Amino acid sequence: MDQRFVHERTGVTDDDAGLLDLVQHACFQYFWDGAHPHSGLARDRTGKNADPKNDLVAAGASGFGFMAILVAIERGWIERQAALGRIGTMLTALEQTKRYHGVFPHFFHGRDGSTIPFSRRDDGGDLVETAFLLQGLICVRQYFAAPAPEETALRDRINHLWHAVEWTAHIKHDEKVLYWHHSPRYHFARNVPIRGWNEALIAYVLAAGAPRHGIDADIYHEGFATGSQFINGRDYYGITLPLGPDYGGPLFFAHYSFCGLDPRGLSDRYADYWQQNCNHARINYQHCVENPHGYRGYGPDSWGLTSSHGPTGYVVSSPASDFGLIAPTAALCSLPYLPEEAMNALRHFFQLPQAKMWGRFGFVDAFSPTSGWFARTYLGIDQGPVVAMIENHRIGLLWNLFMSAPEIQDGLRKLGFSSPHLAAARQEILEPLG
């Protein structure tokens, strides 16, 4: 594996490595032992002690699941051949899933691939969930790079799914912005343009680099990179936030797209994305330290606000919308950005009542120190990024895989990004010419 962009020092000690192995392996099991029994794809959520009694699987969570399987191979938790078999089963299920202009729905049936509506007017393609899925699939394609027939066939199957996505079908009329949802019945009635800083940068990079049905750069610049919640530049807790809503929004903004996109040295005309993500994480951390609402149990070792389960259902937490819920995924996925603070949080989570805090797939989804509530559930979109972002901090595995894809490099160049990965790729081209 190419190590050029691996951190010179990760700050991970031998003792830390054991804890990280334990947490990563437990989260990986969500996608291995806890996967849908027929398709092998990722359930949207599952219980602390038992699987749900349904066949619902999620596109985005499955993308993170593909990444987790690659980490498991590298860590020696599963054999390469077993992984190939499981990935083949997952690809068969995806090939049989109902798609809309090549775009996957948010939820679908794990046995027959039929769409399970996310909401009344969201019964068609979900472009952002599809982008998270493709992020994982492209990493798989880059990992299984051997000329062996089995790996060649796997790459061809992934390319077929990737090339079939019609990104331009998610542009309404002549507007210069991608739309999140499109339904064959309700069309664009859901009406959610992918605009302003959020978790969906990956969708624009993929759409720009797509070999077929791709978008022009102005769709990114006049669509995503606009609106009142894109450019920020204000200070929160003494920390400047380049992009995004006040206080940065939920921490998954710094995680979901960056399981594959390497933010180190990544920049465009709007921001340095390493600075953006580090400052966002620092603001989130500092909010929990200063704890303006006086919630019990917040502090330097107990922090992290993002999407999670709560006592009354799914919630999206942030410093601007703080419900007193700590989600372990928020701190753990921020290990690349705040390594000392994230490791302190990890150790603290192990000091909490383990009968309530830990289960078959690791730390529960969230807890409320103020009320004493602990989730009895896991979410796929919280479990998967833990495996990916910890591994990226440790050896840069998924960052190196994703950024090595020629289409991703093309998309980033098209949108005006700079990255050490792009410079290295250009140098590799020039060296033979010299």
Side-chain angles (χ1 to χ4, degrees), residues 1 5 7 54 80 84 129 161 317 338 361 429:
M1 191 60 60
F5 307 118
H7 300 281
N54 61 46
R80 187 182 182 95
L84 277 168
E129 289 289 308
L161 293 169
S317 299
L338 300 178
F361 301 135
I429 293 171

Side-chain angles (χ1 to χ4, degrees), residues 58 79 82 121 126 137 140 192 213 357 377 417 428:
E79 296 294 331
R121 292 185 174 181
D126 185 313
L137 286 172
V140 170
V192 182
H213 314 294
M357 189 67 187
T377 49
F417 281 86
E428 287 176 355

Side-chain angles (χ1 to χ4, degrees), residues 88-371:
T89 298
M90 296 165 74
L91 289 175
T92 297
L94 292 175
E95 290 161 350
Q96 295 171 352
T97 296
K98 172 68 175 175
R99 284 166 280 164
Y100 306 86
H101 299 281
V103 179
F104 286 85
H106 190 124
F107 293 148
F108 50 96
H109 197 289
R111 291 192 178 275
D112 63 19
S114 59
T115 299
I116 298 175
F118 185 78
S119 63
R120 191 175 73 84
R121 292 185 174 181
D122 184 5
D123 60 353
D126 185 313
L127 201 65
V128 176
E129 289 289 308
T130 297
F132 296 151
L133 174 61
L134 288 171
Q135 183 178 219
L137 286 172
I138 288 173
C139 286
V140 170
R141 187 194 70 181
Q142 297 302 104
Y143 186 85
F144 290 103
E150 186 176 17
E151 297 194 18
T152 299
L154 179 146
R155 295 193 298 273
D156 289 344
R157 295 175 73 185
I158 289 172
N159 282 336
H160 183 77
L161 293 169
W162 154 227
H163 295 170
V165 176
E166 298 179 31
W167 302 91
T168 52
H170 277 247
I171 298 174
K172 185 199 295 188
H173 307 305
D174 295 324
E175 293 184 30
K176 292 188 176 182
V177 65
L178 291 171
Y179 273 78
W180 204 297
H181 314 91
H182 185 267
S183 160
R185 182 177 180 184
Y186 299 106
H187 306 291
F188 289 105
R190 190 77 173 78
N191 199 34
V192 182
I194 308 172
R195 173 178 287 131
W197 182 247
N198 54 40
E199 71 271 35
L201 176 62
I202 190 72
Y204 279 88
V205 173
L206 287 164
R212 303 175 187 169
H213 314 294
I215 62 167
D216 294 329
D218 59 353
I219 303 297
Y220 169 72
H221 294 295
E222 298 181 38
F224 186 69
T226 60
S228 61
Q229 295 196 344
F230 190 76
I231 297 296
N232 190 304
R234 297 180 289 278
D235 286 2
Y236 305 91
Y237 299 111
I239 302 157
T240 301
L241 181 70
L243 305 177
D246 289 344
Y247 296 91
L251 263 179
F252 66 74
F253 286 7
H255 302 150
Y256 291 174
S257 281
F258 298 98
C259 288
L261 281 174
D262 187 351
R264 297 169 299 170
L266 183 70
S267 63
D268 65 1
R269 68 180 75 167
Y270 307 110
D272 175 314
Y273 290 90
W274 181 253
Q275 180 191 42
Q276 164 66 26
N277 291 350
C278 288
N279 287 10
H280 180 191
R282 175 66 64 181
I283 290 166
N284 198 290
Y285 166 81
Q286 198 62 38
H287 171 85
C288 293
V289 171
E290 299 198 15
N291 192 15
H293 303 296
Y295 287 124
R296 184 185 309 155
Y298 278 35
D301 299 337
S302 185
W303 61 279
L305 309 179
T306 192
S307 64
S308 70
H309 281 145
T312 59
Y314 180 82
V315 295
V316 179
S317 299
S318 72
S321 185
D322 185 356
F323 304 99
L325 283 169
I326 300 293
T329 183
L332 300 178
C333 289
S334 298
L335 185 69
Y337 311 132
L338 300 178
E340 181 177 348
E341 295 85 348
M343 283 304 307
N344 288 340
L346 187 155
R347 296 185 194 100
H348 171 74
F349 297 151
F350 275 117
Q351 299 304 311
L352 297 173
Q354 291 301 285
K356 295 181 178 180
M357 189 67 187
W358 183 270
R360 57 185 180 143
F361 301 135
F363 296 123
V364 296
D365 195 53
F367 63 99
S368 171
T370 296
S371 67

